[in-house]
Amino acid sequence: MTLLEEQLLMTLSHLEAMTLDKVFIDLDKDFVMANPEISMEDLLTCLDKLTLEKKIKCIKTDGHKEWVKIFPKRKGLWGRLFKNIFGK
């Protein structure tokens, strides 16, 4: 995973869908200053990659794309019990 992908996952919210400009504004200031070559195209390609990896979800509203982070799935009760009992 690249540094930009890690920053995007830290920036995106589980609760609020964010547009591309809001994502860019909310990126860590120190990260942006250390990497001034980052463009909107780089953000779009990383967001598309994370969408394909099912780490974020793209929502299209009023002709705009918005992204939201997906909650990680948990194992079911029986899977967790089996893991705790048998250690697998």
Side-chain angles (χ1 to χ4, degrees):
M1 182 174 291
T2 64
L3 291 175
L4 181 57
E5 291 172 355
E6 290 175 11
Q7 283 295 320
L8 286 174
L9 287 176
M10 286 192 298
T11 303
L12 288 170
S13 170
H14 286 288
L15 304 175
E16 178 186 1
M18 300 172 74
T19 60
L20 184 62
D21 50 347
K22 189 167 183 179
V23 169
F24 190 74
I25 289 171
D26 285 351
L27 278 175
D28 185 36
K29 180 182 176 183
D30 296 330
F31 176 76
V32 174
M33 296 302 268
N35 301 300
E37 69 278 356
I38 293 174
S39 65
M40 291 291 193
E41 292 175 16
D42 296 335
L43 285 177
L44 280 174
T45 55
C46 282
L47 288 169
D48 289 338
K49 183 179 176 188
L50 290 171
T51 303
L52 290 175
E53 293 174 359
K54 306 262 188 221
K55 294 184 178 180
I56 61 173
K57 180 170 59 170
C58 180
I59 303 168
K60 294 180 182 177
T61 56
D62 299 331
H64 292 52
K65 287 184 176 181
E66 295 179 340
W67 293 270
V68 64
K69 196 175 357 176
I70 297 174
F71 282 105
K73 295 193 178 203
R74 293 178 46 187
K75 287 187 177 182
L77 175 65
W78 295 113
R80 288 183 294 191
L81 285 174
F82 185 78
K83 181 180 178 184
N84 286 337
I85 293 171
F86 298 108
K88 291 183 180 182

